[in-house]
Amino acid sequence: MADVEDDRMALLRFVERFGLVLREAGMAPMPARVLAYALADDADHYTAGDLARGLGVSPAAISGAVRQLVQVGLLVREREPGTRSDLYVLDDRDLWSRFMTAELASLRRFEEAVAGGVELLGTERPGGRRLAETRDFMAFLHGELVDALARWPAERDRLAAERNGAPVPR
Amino acid sequence: MADVEDDRMALLRFVERFGLVLREAGMAPMPARVLAYALADDADHYTAGDLARGLGVSPAAISGAVRQLVQVGLLVREREPGTRSDLYVLDDRDLWSRFMTAELASLRRFEEAVAGGVELLGTERPGGRRLAETRDFMAFLHGELVDALARWPAERDRLAAERNGAPVPR
DNA sequence: CACATGCTTCACGAACTTGTGAAGTGTGTT
DNA sequence: AACACACTTCACAAGTTCGTGAAGCATGTG
């Protein structure tokens, strides 16, 4: 049954590849790997040990990673009574909506920083005008993203219905 | 005229603050500072020396930073005939639209990485299904962003007209 | 109540990143 | 033609980040 081993390797390769993209998007390496792994592996909940063994890293590394993921809401920590380990579950319904909602907070900081600059410089000088336009664009984008996220659930259901309503005939 | 000095300090403080936000968004420190400075200062073009002196850093640091900024299209390099230095101009019209358009490429990589995972895992297993939904969301978001960016120029003009057409009465 | 287990915290070594100074390169000036 | 100036490249030192191993801390189990 080397196939199982091969699958595991393939999964880990994907985890690294996807993790890299997540890192480029600003996520720390270890949380990125854990997230990718929890997404792509088939379990619906993981203990810290599962993650450590699955990824082949030390439990210490997992500890920090899950803390961050829980903090930003990408992972939920649960506790089954009569057990010694926390369970981490990837609440996959609307996962990415929630992720993006969190990202919007950083866009918000962006807006605030720029608004502070506009206040500092006024809108008469060229620099101030450029900043003001930047601020306007960020506000616009923010609004558009909020709208888009609000549309997603409906779009998601539409896609699902489409696939179920006209499944591949056999 | 310590006021001028104070203004310079205030500007540099803003540059650091804004630069920090840009770094959180994934930009390297030096390019972030240069971009913030070029945006907020009043000149409409800068030599490498202007930037180095203005920011109080070595010319060497500027060299690398502007190269990156030029590469992603945030800064344009120009050459006036009969002069020894390149001029860097912040083409501020649609600057952020272009920036976001570039960002979309990274979203694209995201989509590709996830699509690869779906291909690897199939859509029958839980992990594969989660990845498929992720892919769908990213595609949706991509489309929405493209639409939003297409709407920006009109929105921008609308805002400008509004401000000019109905200026604050006094 | 002692023990085993699983997670967490901490301090460290390795790897990477950043900006500098110094040397090099090209371009206009005298 | 030699010089001066402005930028670029390069090698390095300082600082930062990352994941590990070891020790500590809970929490069930015999």
Side-chain angles (χ1 to χ4, degrees):
Chain A
M1 281 272 162
D3 284 3
V4 178
E5 290 299 314
D6 285 358
D7 284 3
R8 225 84 252 284
M9 283 303 288
L11 180 67
L12 285 184
R13 269 201 301 278
F14 167 73
V15 165
E16 282 308 324
R17 194 147 33 89
F18 187 31
L20 220 56
V21 176
L22 288 172
R23 288 174 61 181
E24 279 174 21
M27 193 172 282
M30 212 56 183
R33 281 197 272 268
V34 169
L35 178 60
Y37 181 81
L39 248 188
D41 199 16
D42 292 326
D44 60 337
H45 53 70
Y46 306 84
T47 65
D50 291 339
L51 296 171
R53 278 185 301 277
L55 285 168
V57 301
S58 74
I62 298 297
S63 185
V66 292
R67 184 151 24 107
Q68 287 195 51
L69 289 172
V70 166
Q71 191 155 20
V72 300
L74 287 173
L75 218 53
V76 178
R77 196 196 309 262
E78 294 185 348
R79 192 56 168 267
E80 209 65 21
T83 182
R84 197 168 347 191
S85 358
D86 287 329
L87 291 180
Y88 297 98
V89 343
L90 195 64
D91 183 5
D92 59 329
R93 177 99 191 171
D94 291 330
L95 173 72
W96 296 107
S97 287
R98 280 182 287 116
F99 181 64
M100 283 307 301
T101 303
E103 287 296 296
L104 285 182
S106 92
L107 186 55
R108 188 114 195 80
R109 281 200 302 283
F110 204 112
E111 291 178 62
E112 277 162 18
V114 178
V118 174
E119 207 163 316
L120 176 68
L121 299 174
T123 53
E124 295 309 310
R125 296 153 66 187
R129 268 199 298 277
R130 285 195 283 260
L131 286 185
E133 185 178 330
T134 301
R135 182 198 52 193
D136 291 346
F137 177 77
M138 293 303 156
F140 168 75
L141 189 66
H142 191 152
E144 293 288 318
L145 278 173
V146 169
D147 290 353
L149 287 180
R151 278 194 291 275
W152 168 240
E155 174 67 8
R156 188 195 117 97
D157 294 346
R158 201 183 63 69
L159 281 173
E162 199 168 88
R163 281 181 188 135
N164 283 328
V168 183
R170 44 166 163 163
Chain B
M1 283 272 160
D3 283 5
V4 177
E5 289 300 313
D6 285 359
D7 283 4
R8 225 80 251 274
M9 284 302 288
L11 179 67
L12 285 183
R13 271 199 300 279
F14 167 73
V15 165
E16 281 309 324
R17 195 147 36 87
F18 188 32
L20 221 55
V21 176
L22 287 172
R23 289 175 62 181
E24 280 173 21
M27 192 171 282
M30 212 56 186
R33 281 197 272 268
V34 169
L35 178 59
Y37 181 81
L39 249 187
D41 199 16
D42 292 326
D44 62 337
H45 53 71
Y46 306 85
T47 66
D50 291 338
L51 296 170
R53 278 185 301 276
L55 285 167
V57 300
S58 74
I62 298 296
S63 185
V66 293
R67 184 151 26 112
Q68 286 195 52
L69 289 172
V70 167
Q71 191 156 20
V72 301
L74 288 173
L75 218 53
V76 178
R77 197 194 309 261
E78 295 185 348
R79 191 57 169 265
E80 210 65 22
T83 182
R84 198 169 347 191
S85 359
D86 287 330
L87 291 180
Y88 296 98
V89 344
L90 194 64
D91 182 6
D92 60 329
R93 177 100 190 172
D94 290 329
L95 173 73
W96 296 106
S97 287
R98 281 182 287 117
F99 181 64
M100 283 308 300
T101 303
E103 286 297 293
L104 284 182
S106 93
L107 186 54
R108 189 114 194 81
R109 281 201 303 282
F110 203 116
E111 291 178 63
E112 277 163 19
V114 178
V118 174
E119 207 164 315
L120 176 69
L121 298 173
T123 53
E124 295 307 309
R125 296 153 66 186
R129 269 199 298 278
R130 283 195 283 260
L131 286 186
E133 184 178 329
T134 301
R135 181 199 53 194
D136 292 345
F137 177 77
M138 293 303 155
F140 167 75
L141 189 65
H142 192 150
E144 294 287 319
L145 278 173
V146 169
D147 292 352
L149 287 180
R151 277 193 292 275
W152 168 240
E155 174 68 7
R156 188 196 116 96
D157 293 346
R158 200 184 62 70
L159 280 173
E162 198 169 88
R163 283 185 186 132
N164 283 328
V168 183
R170 46 170 159 157

